Amino acid sequence: MIFSKEEVLKVTGGKLWRGKPGGGFTGVALDSRQIGPGELFFPLAGENFNGHDFIVNALQGGAAGSLLEEAWLPSFAAGDFPAGKTIIVVENTLLSLQKLAAYHRAKFSLPVLAVTGSNGKTTTKDFIASVLSTRYNVLKTEGNLNNHLGLPLMLLRFKKEHEVAVLELGMSGPGEIALLTDLCRPTKGVITNIGEAHLGFLGSRENIAWAKGELLAGLNSRGKAFLNGDDPFLVQMGEKFAGEVFYYGFTAGFGIGLQALGYTPTARGCSFEVALPGGVRDNFAISLPGKHNVYNALAALAVGLDFSLTNEQIKKGLATCIFSAMRMEKTLTQKGLWVINDAYNASPTSMRYALQSLREWAPDRPKIAVLGDMYELGPQAGELHCAVGRYLADLGIDYLLTVGKLAASIAHGAREAGMVPENIFMLGTPEEALSCLHELARPGFYILIKGSRAMQLEKIAEELINRY
């Protein structure tokens, strides 16, 4: 049992409407189709669904009880619930979930690292968790459970055997990082960078920096922050932070505690030399390409040193890291195509990173970039897409396939920068892109696939891998 019935009533401010006092719940569930025996069902409302419609299904599926929002009480006044089940009436089910998660987190005194940033936060989270796992029992954020709904679910997974938690904090607007920080109460924080993601919501990089900086406000003087020292926004943020700050980066200068002295692309990813605290130098390797991933690894290296791990333990954690899905997943198909699935999401910065990685992975091979729309960029969307196209042309990518209306501007930018027009294809759907690839791709080609999550470009990668 994770929660007693009395705990749930006290923490949520709810009222027992059906069932008897005493007893408790083994866990919580949001999906009536995935109920575990003895769990408490939280009927949340979304744009296209209302969990209250599935309360009876959840109870019949094994849930010990369910919350029910007070506003929906009249609809259930004559409800016929399975015998022996508990119904607790609350004002707001989402707020109740967050309160219960914060209450559960407060039971534990383990170190909690919160990771946020415009780009690379998931990979950085994966690196950190892998490094710390060489010595500790680590709980890390799974999948996309990094928002006001997902983070509470991660907090509710805290168990006594966990020694460290590494949690990713995502956002789309101001106030969200503050909320998530308040829920998880981190003892340490990592901010990877400040980029253009969410410009449509926040308007400027300055506003994005302010929103990401809510993590440091939540840490206050009690915590320690690990910041990218090559990002001027983060340097300014660190100067104002009341707690301890550790900077990492490539640029030598005042305050950099961990400096990468360069990196070398390899067939598997890249290797890099680091000047460690105390003047010692050592070499590390990761299975991902690109300077941006060296930054992500540096953050993990800094955290590992802070936890007194040895260089060998850190090397092992970096080298054996298993990354979240659709982040530069490189697959050689049976017929000799290299498919790089980076379709989880996209921003102008991450697009440039991925294109640079494509060139490093295949400097002398034919390269195709399949790029989709980038969302949440606001009025600057057209120019930001064009800039990606110009960057792509300057890198010497051989072929460009754009998918979507916004991505057409990537094609325009590439053409303006001198890319051969016959090698540019503007398409409307993933299916059209697949048809084009069937005609274009040959064994030995490297194909990068990237776009915003809603574009679902992973379908292209899956089809190429299955068919070729």
Side-chain angles (χ1 to χ4, degrees):
M1 180 176 71
I2 296 181
F3 300 110
S4 69
K5 201 172 296 183
E6 286 70 23
E7 283 180 303
V8 175
L9 290 168
K10 180 179 179 181
V11 173
T12 65
K15 300 177 181 178
L16 185 62
W17 187 55
R18 291 284 191 275
K20 299 178 181 180
F25 307 98
T26 59
V28 304
L30 309 185
D31 190 334
S32 62
R33 299 164 297 181
Q34 299 176 2
I35 289 289
E39 290 184 334
L40 177 64
F41 180 58
F42 280 74
L44 303 180
E47 292 183 4
N48 302 312
F49 69 93
N50 188 334
H52 287 80
D53 296 333
F54 305 98
I55 290 178
V56 174
N57 301 68
L59 297 176
Q60 291 174 340
S66 175
L67 298 191
L68 189 156
E69 286 192 356
E70 191 170 358
W72 288 91
L73 190 56
S75 301
F76 289 86
D80 184 17
F81 298 106
K85 304 295 186 175
T86 298
I87 302 293
I88 296 174
V89 177
V90 298
E91 184 176 347
N92 183 288
T93 51
L94 174 58
L95 184 59
S96 295
L97 175 67
Q98 293 171 346
K99 287 180 177 179
L100 199 61
Y103 169 78
H104 186 65
R105 186 270 177 264
K107 295 178 181 179
F108 299 84
S109 59
L110 77 172
V112 174
L113 285 93
V115 182
T116 193
S118 295
N119 304 104
K121 55 184 175 291
T122 300
T123 301
T124 300
K125 174 262 299 181
D126 289 337
F127 270 137
I128 293 173
S130 185
V131 165
L132 294 180
S133 292
T134 61
R135 180 182 294 180
Y136 301 99
N137 186 325
V138 179
L139 174 72
K140 75 168 184 175
T141 295
E142 298 177 6
N144 60 352
L145 300 180
N146 65 358
N147 59 12
H148 65 290
L149 184 57
L151 181 66
L153 295 179
M154 289 307 308
L155 297 178
L156 290 167
R157 296 181 188 180
F158 277 32
K159 297 179 180 178
K160 61 182 180 181
E161 57 262 34
H162 292 133
E163 298 174 291
V164 185
V166 184
L167 303 175
E168 180 181 334
L169 309 187
M171 71 160 210
S172 58
E176 292 185 59
I177 296 296
L179 168 64
L180 300 180
T181 302
D182 188 52
L183 291 177
C184 71
R185 304 183 193 181
T187 56
K188 303 176 190 291
V190 177
I191 305 180
T192 60
N193 50 51
I194 304 299
E196 305 96 338
H198 309 306
L199 272 176
F201 292 115
L202 291 160
S204 68
R205 289 183 70 191
E206 288 78 9
N207 289 342
I208 294 170
W210 180 84
K212 295 293 186 182
E214 293 171 357
L215 171 58
L216 300 193
L219 283 174
N220 209 337
S221 60
R222 302 183 303 275
K224 182 172 183 177
F226 300 87
L227 305 177
N228 182 339
D230 292 345
D231 189 311
F233 289 102
L234 296 183
V235 172
Q236 293 176 16
M237 199 181 296
E239 291 173 348
K240 299 175 182 178
F241 178 49
E244 184 180 357
V245 180
F246 186 95
Y247 294 106
Y248 58 88
F250 278 80
T251 306
F254 175 78
I256 295 289
L258 196 65
Q259 183 193 1
L261 303 174
Y263 73 101
T264 303
T266 66
R268 188 168 180 263
C270 65
S271 61
F272 54 100
E273 185 180 13
V274 179
L276 300 161
V280 178
R281 295 187 178 188
D282 206 345
N283 294 293
F284 299 81
I286 56 177
S287 60
L288 292 175
K291 184 176 181 179
H292 60 295
N293 281 313
V294 176
Y295 276 116
N296 299 335
L298 285 175
L301 208 166
V303 171
L305 294 175
D306 188 65
F307 277 77
S308 301
L309 268 62
T310 66
N311 287 5
E312 295 308 311
Q313 288 173 319
I314 294 171
K315 290 178 183 179
K316 178 181 178 182
L318 293 177
T320 59
C321 182
I322 298 174
F323 302 100
S324 300
M326 294 186 287
R327 271 83 170 186
M328 297 302 288
E329 289 183 341
K330 183 182 177 186
T331 303
L332 177 61
T333 70
Q334 290 186 347
K335 295 184 179 180
L337 291 179
W338 285 99
V339 178
I340 303 169
N341 182 358
D342 198 41
Y344 181 78
N345 216 335
S347 68
T349 300
S350 67
M351 280 281 199
R352 290 191 293 270
Y353 288 159
L355 290 165
Q356 177 66 35
S357 297
L358 175 63
R359 189 178 75 167
E360 291 181 4
W361 249 338
D364 303 315
R365 297 288 187 89
K367 295 173 283 294
I368 302 174
V370 183
L371 306 181
D373 293 348
M374 296 180 287
Y375 295 135
E376 301 178 2
L377 297 179
Q380 304 174 57
E383 172 52 33
L384 290 171
H385 281 79
C386 272
V388 168
R390 291 191 290 269
Y391 182 78
L392 177 148
D394 290 341
L395 287 178
I397 305 301
D398 299 287
Y399 299 94
L400 169 63
L401 279 63
T402 65
V403 184
K405 294 181 179 180
L406 292 172
S409 292
I410 300 177
H412 297 321
R415 188 179 292 111
E416 290 173 1
M419 190 172 185
V420 178
E422 290 76 14
N423 291 357
I424 301 173
F425 304 85
M426 290 185 288
L427 308 162
T429 66
E431 291 74 21
E432 291 177 10
L434 271 169
S435 296
C436 185
L437 288 170
H438 293 329
E439 298 295 326
L440 188 64
R442 297 290 182 270
F445 275 48
Y446 279 66
I447 305 172
L448 169 69
I449 301 164
K450 187 169 183 62
S452 283
R453 180 82 289 276
M455 294 298 295
Q456 298 183 344
L457 297 189
E458 69 275 8
K459 296 177 181 177
I460 300 174
E462 293 166 1
E463 178 67 16
L464 289 174
I465 293 169
N466 291 333
R467 182 176 294 194
Y468 292 93

